[in-house]
Amino acid sequence: HKLHQGYAIAGICLIRLRQLRPRGLPAWLGTTSENAAYRIAVVWPSEEGEREGVYIWQRQSNSWINAMLGGIFFPTVFSYARFAVKETPDCYEITITSRQGPTLELAAKRVSSWPGDSAFESLEEASAFFERGAVGYSPGTRPGQYYGVELQCQRWQVEPLQIVRLACTFFDKMAHGSAATITPDCALVMRQIAHTWERVPALCCSGLGRQEWTDRVRT
């Protein structure tokens, strides 16, 4: 994993996809869905040198199309979940429920100031950190196979959010029985950003054991 100020940076990326479609098709054929990615910032060696991005443990979507066709027509695998979303111009409430039960409950509101207890000293520092994580790898349809995609935005612009309520059973279960301490750090929002997802070469690995958690994790 990649460390920042001694912390591993994990998080939940909540994405509303509008007009999602293969390149070349008209916008009216696109679909809209709510999606979540549970991820952690990582670095890995390559022929070009050290690269950085994110490793995505799991993706969820409220679209049966995404869940059924993921890994077939696009290089991402989703599990189906129910999303309950309440949104105003300044407040967001999101609840995700999978077949196993509640996964995420989040309430946040837009603010103008940066939290003083964040591992990032400023909004600009946090923005630059997450912008460098545009490449994401996640488990494919076969053991040892990892699909890769890269987020390409016409512009990168984030705004700070204040976390009002947060409960995430996904990370609670991952940390259970380990020495990890998971601490909420900050929240960001990007709105009305035109973007594309580009396939990057898949990685194939074998004989890898589970990587041990660091003793301090920020989300």
Side-chain angles (χ1 to χ4, degrees), residues 19-179:
Q19 300 177 346
L20 178 65
R21 64 198 186 278
R23 181 174 295 163
L25 293 181
W28 62 271
L29 286 176
T31 63
T32 297
S33 61
E34 302 286 348
N35 307 271
Y38 301 85
R39 51 186 242 172
I40 188 168
V42 295
V43 294
W44 68 93
S46 72
E47 294 181 355
E48 296 78 24
E50 187 176 82
R51 299 193 61 187
E52 59 182 286
V54 295
Y55 175 75
I56 302 163
W57 287 291
Q58 182 182 13
R59 284 186 171 92
Q60 294 175 315
S61 178
N62 71 344
S63 167
W64 282 108
I65 295 176
N66 291 354
M68 291 188 296
L69 300 184
I72 301 176
F73 291 103
F74 42 90
T76 50
V77 177
F78 293 89
S79 61
Y80 177 78
R82 296 191 302 273
F83 285 63
V85 180
K86 296 181 181 179
E87 182 180 337
T88 69
D90 295 317
C91 298
Y92 304 87
E93 294 186 21
I94 302 170
T95 301
I96 303 176
T97 306
S98 69
R99 293 176 179 175
Q100 290 73 38
T103 303
L104 175 70
E105 182 180 354
L106 171 68
K109 62 181 181 180
R110 293 176 63 197
V111 292
S112 58
S113 59
W114 187 248
D117 57 351
S118 171
F120 301 98
E121 294 184 0
S122 65
L123 173 64
E124 291 73 22
E125 184 178 73
S127 175
F129 180 92
F130 291 109
E131 186 175 9
R132 291 192 296 270
V135 175
Y137 279 95
S138 57
T141 54
R142 298 193 304 270
Q145 180 188 56
Y146 298 89
Y147 293 143
V149 293
E150 181 176 4
L151 171 64
Q152 296 185 355
C153 300
Q154 294 183 8
R155 62 185 176 92
W156 181 273
Q157 182 177 352
V158 299
E159 302 173 56
L161 295 176
Q162 177 184 335
I163 299 173
V164 177
R165 184 174 65 258
L166 174 62
C168 182
T169 58
F170 180 88
F171 283 118
D172 290 343
K173 291 177 181 178
M174 290 201 71
H176 181 70
S178 75

